[in-house]
Amino acid sequence: MDKKISLTGIKPTGIPHLGNYFGAIKPALQLAQKYEARYFIADYHALNTIKNPRELRDLTYEVAAAWLSCGLDPEKVLFYRQSDVPETFELSVILTAFTSKGLMNRSHAYKSVVDANKEKGADPDHNINMGLFTYPILMAADILLFDSDFVPVGRDQKQHVEIAADIAQTINSNYKKQLFTIPEGVYDGVNETVLGLDGRKMSKSYDNTIPLFIPEKQLRKILMKIVTNSQEVSEAKVPETCNVFAIYKLFASQEQQNALAAKYRSGGMGWGEAKQELFETMNAVIKPMRDIYDDLMADKSKIDKILALGAQKAREISSKKIAFLRREIGI
Ligand code: TRP
């Protein structure tokens, strides 16, 4: 039997940080071993918020380079840029004809902005572009174009995957035919919470992120900013409630964790020392990936080539799908 298809989109709206690595990149790459994976950079989704061309271009490269250096193998995973697959946008037009406005009104991403506007006493439509309003339709097009069975995403995207399934069902039942595979979200392991510098969930909006691939010196400097309590060096410390230790656990082996925990409990270790241990352990894991990342960013034509080849393969699938759909719907 054919392998099931796993598809996800990566919105290039920020430089990849540890939260992205453990919450999205790693689980998606694990799924890629089991399923036929199709992963793409959702640059047109990013356009809704990023209106500076240079920034959008840079972020697209940074995100592509990050996934490649974390182990995405473009020979095994179909890796492409959404904007290179124009069939996505044609499908999006088809889907709009089957999507009730009410369904879009109920979309959380849109509704939360409307609610915030109302709360401020502003016009409910303030700062809302049609891209935000129809965001779930474009995302449904991404998903349905490639016959995705599974969509690994964070829980914040759950409703969007459900909307895609909903639209697919509406169309299948209109034509009394399985025109689309009904997608299913996969949330396990995705968005595993990584704590940021201040102990809250690591997130760009909290400004507490640790970027994945910054130069060593900068990484060390950022780690020194992790918020700790104000215990003296001599005092015994509690690893379970410490932000430094929480991040250490993501990178350290069980033995390393036990050893550092023992140092915490026996006292005599200051926060600077704990952070230095974190830096060394983390850097050892990240360095080989960072080397690949730096290499790709120094010669972006390598990224361009990979994405161009991905686009070519993606379009072999998408152009067939669109030709099929056009016939079925009478266009
Ligand atoms: N909306 C997703 C996010 O913000 C990105 C995305 C775009 C996506 N298209 C997709 C995810 C299709 C999964 C499938 O993270």
Side-chain angles (χ1 to χ4, degrees), residues 23 108 139 151-162 185-193 201:
H108 300 319
M139 182 158 158
V151 184
V153 279
R155 283 189 195 276
D156 61 320
Q157 299 295 311
K158 185 169 186 271
Q159 191 195 27
H160 289 151
V161 181
E162 287 165 1
V186 178
Y187 315 107
D188 289 348
V190 181
N191 257 8
E192 178 189 330
T193 304
K201 177 181 157 62

Side-chain angles (χ1 to χ4, degrees), residues 5 7 143 148-153 161 165 181-187:
I5 293 165
L7 172 139
I143 296 171
S148 317
D149 296 290
F150 300 116
V151 184
V153 279
V161 181
T181 302
I182 308 297
E184 211 180 295
V186 178
Y187 315 107

